[in-house]
Amino acid sequence: MNTPASPTPSASPSPPVRLLIVDDDPLVRAGLALMLGGADDIDIVGEGADGSEVAALVERLRPDVVLMDIRMPGMDGLTATEELRRRPDAPEVVVLTTFHADEQVLRAIRAGAAGFVLKDTPPARIVESVRRVAAGDPVLSPAVTRQLMARAAGGAQDDRTSRTERARRRFGELAEREREVAIAVGRGHSNAEIAGELYLSVATVKTQVSRILAKLDLNNRVQIALLVHDAGLLDTDGEEGGGLG
């Protein structure tokens, strides 16, 4: 007599993304809570009205992602992001702004924010942005990244030269394959695209990206892209430029 096969256990569903919303406008907070709270995989664990509240809220609520307004009357979202990302167990940060790409957004990205969304972004895209950031995928399109890189490239020639030299010294810490992956990240390519280009598995690309972040003491892929740009490894079309040597 044949014994019936045991049913294959199904994979446990992932826990919902724990989200903290920080904005000084109560109407904006209410709208975001209504919009995001309707997603089954997002759990709004709290709200804040000023950047000065963020550290205590994060300590108490342990969010995975903080949706942070840039402009607040007390401590602004940029300062709060910089302080928050210094924590060893910091959640990811997505900044909210009314501007498409400006100096404040660049500062937020350099501080470790995983991306930004405009306040007039369609609701579905904001929900998707939170999901992507929680999964480790920054929410900056290649076009926006190039705008931020162009902004970062401004300044006096001496400053740009110094920035290039510092970036190239840091890239000297990477192995050859890590440099190839970093340049591909700088071109705005996804893990799957990088895997196809370099004949690697997606899992290997993820491991390489993690190593690059650890070696260069960076927070996310956007910071890798900015460092690639600072090192002069991309031309104006976003393709690979000169080497390190």
Side-chain angles (χ1 to χ4, degrees):
M1 179 177 178
N2 293 330
T3 302
S6 300
T8 302
S10 58
S12 300
S14 300
V17 177
R18 296 174 61 81
L19 177 67
L20 172 65
I21 299 172
V22 184
D23 194 294
D24 64 302
D25 188 333
L27 292 178
V28 171
R29 291 200 308 274
L32 289 169
L34 181 65
M35 175 196 315
L36 293 157
D40 293 337
D41 56 348
I42 295 176
D43 181 12
I44 299 175
V45 297
E47 299 179 14
D50 188 80
S52 61
E53 303 174 11
V54 171
L57 287 169
V58 167
E59 183 68 30
R60 178 166 58 89
L61 301 173
R62 301 292 179 180
D64 301 308
V65 178
V66 179
L67 192 56
M68 181 104 68
D69 185 24
I70 283 186
R71 291 175 172 82
M72 291 181 282
M75 179 186 289
D76 62 56
L78 297 174
T79 303
T81 297
E82 289 168 343
E83 292 189 358
L84 184 59
R85 292 300 298 176
R86 294 190 190 108
R87 297 169 56 107
D89 56 346
E92 299 293 350
V93 177
V94 179
V95 295
L96 280 166
T97 180
T98 55
F99 294 87
H100 194 262
D102 62 8
E103 199 66 38
Q104 292 183 316
V105 172
L106 176 60
R107 179 181 158 195
I109 298 304
R110 288 199 182 280
F116 75 92
V117 293
L118 301 176
K119 288 191 174 182
D120 60 357
T121 297
R125 289 192 181 180
I126 295 182
V127 172
E128 182 60 25
S129 295
V130 171
R131 289 174 177 149
R132 286 179 53 190
V133 166
D137 185 13
V139 287
L140 279 177
S141 69
V144 172
T145 301
R146 284 195 292 271
Q147 289 184 28
L148 291 171
M149 287 177 179
R151 183 72 61 126
Q157 180 63 42
D158 288 348
D159 292 338
R160 293 197 298 272
T161 300
S162 176
R163 187 166 58 232
T164 298
E165 292 173 351
R166 288 196 304 270
R168 290 194 172 208
R169 282 197 299 270
R170 295 182 71 185
F171 266 95
E173 302 172 23
L174 300 179
E176 181 178 357
R177 179 63 84 184
E178 292 168 344
R179 287 198 291 267
E180 291 174 343
V181 171
I183 290 169
V185 170
R187 295 200 297 267
H189 292 184
S190 67
N191 287 342
E193 291 170 334
I194 296 171
E197 291 170 11
L198 300 180
Y199 304 101
L200 301 171
S201 69
V202 172
T204 298
V205 173
K206 289 181 179 178
T207 299
Q208 294 280 1
V209 171
S210 295
R211 287 176 179 168
I212 294 166
L213 293 171
K215 282 188 176 182
L216 300 181
D217 192 26
L218 300 175
N219 280 283
N220 55 50
R221 297 166 71 96
V222 179
Q223 289 187 333
I224 295 176
L226 289 172
L227 194 63
V228 169
H229 178 271
D230 286 348
L233 302 180
L234 302 176
D235 64 21
T236 55
D237 294 324
E239 297 301 323
E240 185 172 348
L244 288 169

